[in-house]
């Protein structure tokens, strides 16, 4: 009876170890653990340490590239590229500012799909854009 009990406990223990190992990521799949800022300040890196030998260089692990979602392509108006419409807005702008497309000589108001997204341009007030000779972008009907 005792022998059967020990055999059952051993099988259960072995099965538990197998399941735990199967669920834990391998070294190549797990993210690299980086020390906290406090630990970085407390201990010098191997390159800074005088006791470190030149052979002890850590090998960087290559991360698997993550697939990126591509924006949906929508038909573009004549004379415009899809790239212009899918670019994220440039930093800046805001209430009272227009985006001046310096290549075409037109400006786009806030809310326009080209506001802050054309390749060459800058933000300025609408009054300054008019004084500089820029024209408002045509509106679609």
């Amino acid at each position: 009876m005792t022998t059967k009990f020990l055999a059952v406990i051993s099988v259960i223990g072995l099965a538990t170890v197998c399941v735990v190992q199967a669920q834990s990521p391998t070294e190549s799949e797990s993210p690299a653990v980086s020390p906290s800022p406090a630990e970085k300040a407390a201990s010098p890196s191997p390159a800074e340490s005088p006791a470190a030998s030149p052979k002890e260089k850590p090998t960087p692990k290559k991360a698997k590239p993550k697939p990126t979602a591509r924006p949906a392509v929508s038909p573009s108006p004549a004379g415009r590229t899809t790239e212009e419409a899918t670019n994220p807005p440039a930093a800046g702008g805001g209430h009272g500012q227009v985006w001046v497309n310096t290549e075409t000589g037109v400006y786009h108001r806030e809310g326009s799909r080209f506001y802050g997204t054309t390749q060459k341009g800058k933000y300025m007030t609408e009054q300054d854009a008019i004084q500089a000779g820029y024209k408002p972008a045509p509106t679609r009907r």
Side-chain angles (χ1 to χ4, degrees), residues 9-139:
I9 297 297
S10 297
V11 169
I12 292 172
L14 181 62
T16 304
V17 169
C18 290
V19 168
V20 169
Q21 285 181 347
Q23 291 180 352
S24 45
T26 62
E27 189 174 318
S28 63
E29 294 173 344
S30 62
V33 178
S34 62
S36 68
E39 290 174 343
K40 286 181 182 177
S43 64
S45 67
E48 296 171 352
S49 173
S53 68
K55 295 179 184 177
E56 294 181 14
K57 291 184 180 179
T59 56
K61 295 184 180 180
K62 294 182 180 179
K64 294 180 183 177
K66 295 181 181 179
T68 57
R70 293 187 175 200
V73 178
S74 61
S76 59
R80 308 259 192 236
T81 64
T82 306
E83 183 178 313
E84 286 178 333
T86 58
N87 286 343
H95 184 69
Q97 298 282 310
V98 295
W99 175 258
V100 176
N101 184 339
T102 55
E103 284 185 328
T104 61
V106 298
Y107 64 87
H108 303 277
R109 291 183 178 92
E110 190 174 8
S112 166
R113 78 181 224 196
F114 296 108
Y115 182 76
T117 61
T118 59
Q119 289 183 352
K120 293 186 181 177
K122 58 185 175 182
Y123 290 106
M124 61 175 56
T125 64
E126 187 170 3
Q127 185 177 11
D128 290 341
I130 293 169
Q131 287 176 353
Y134 295 105
K135 304 288 182 198
T139 56

